[in-house]
Amino acid sequence: IDDGRLDLARKQISKVESSSSSSSSAIGLIQNRGLEIRTEGATPTPGEMTLYLKAGPDPTLPGDCPFAQTIRMVLTEKNLPYTLRPTTPDTKPDWLLDFYGGALPALRHRKECYVESDVVCQYLEFFFEDRGGDGGLSGYTRAEMR
């Protein structure tokens, strides 16, 4: 090995050893290939659910939409916490209009949004086991039974 290369290698090693605190984060990035380490698993977890639905005559109260009522029943049966947002055409969020055509009811769970009551109910059934006792069937088992 050439003396110049050997000196260069020694300098790089001494830099790594001298900056052990910053190198540990750099080593972490190398080991994870720069990927973010998620604290949440692949299966969604309960929390941060908001149900947007048609408002009634009083814009602060839910309307009489049977599709939204179905979603509310599923959320209640599964004991999943959620926030209810009655929405009029004037109070629909811009993201709902831009990405989903303003379709209601819409369930927003963390960063994801689902519209159409049958899609929302299937999502809830698949990923969230009943907490009130459904015989202990998991979402995967129910999917296999279909």
Side-chain angles (χ1 to χ4, degrees):
I1 294 179
D2 167 354
D3 285 339
R5 288 184 185 176
L6 189 57
D7 288 337
L8 180 62
R10 286 183 183 148
K11 287 179 185 177
Q12 289 175 344
I13 290 171
S14 66
K15 283 182 185 178
V16 169
E17 289 174 350
S18 66
S19 61
S20 62
S21 62
S22 65
S23 68
S24 64
S25 62
I27 290 172
L29 287 174
I30 292 168
Q31 289 173 342
N32 296 325
R33 294 184 176 87
L35 299 176
E36 176 184 333
I37 298 173
R38 294 178 53 143
T39 56
E40 180 180 300
T43 303
T45 55
E48 298 179 35
M49 286 191 198
T50 304
L51 179 61
Y52 294 85
L53 57 115
K54 180 182 109 179
D58 178 355
T60 62
L61 297 175
D64 59 355
C65 174
F67 304 108
Q69 291 172 358
T70 301
I71 296 170
R72 291 177 69 190
M73 284 190 289
V74 172
L75 288 165
T76 302
E77 284 180 11
K78 294 185 169 294
N79 295 321
L80 294 170
Y82 66 98
T83 304
L84 197 62
R85 292 269 169 90
T87 308
T88 65
D90 298 331
T91 61
K92 284 185 182 176
D94 290 336
W95 60 264
L96 186 61
L97 294 168
D98 293 342
F99 299 111
Y100 301 97
L104 293 175
L107 180 73
R108 183 159 190 171
H109 183 215
R110 300 184 194 269
K111 295 179 182 179
E112 301 292 327
C113 183
Y114 303 92
V115 295
E116 300 294 328
S117 60
D118 58 337
V119 172
V120 173
C121 289
Q122 287 176 8
Y123 169 77
L124 295 171
E125 284 294 326
F126 188 80
F127 285 111
F128 300 100
E129 294 182 23
D130 288 340
R131 296 182 188 179
D134 68 333
L137 299 177
S138 72
Y140 297 103
T141 303
R142 285 192 295 275
E144 288 174 353
M145 292 171 50
R146 291 184 188 153

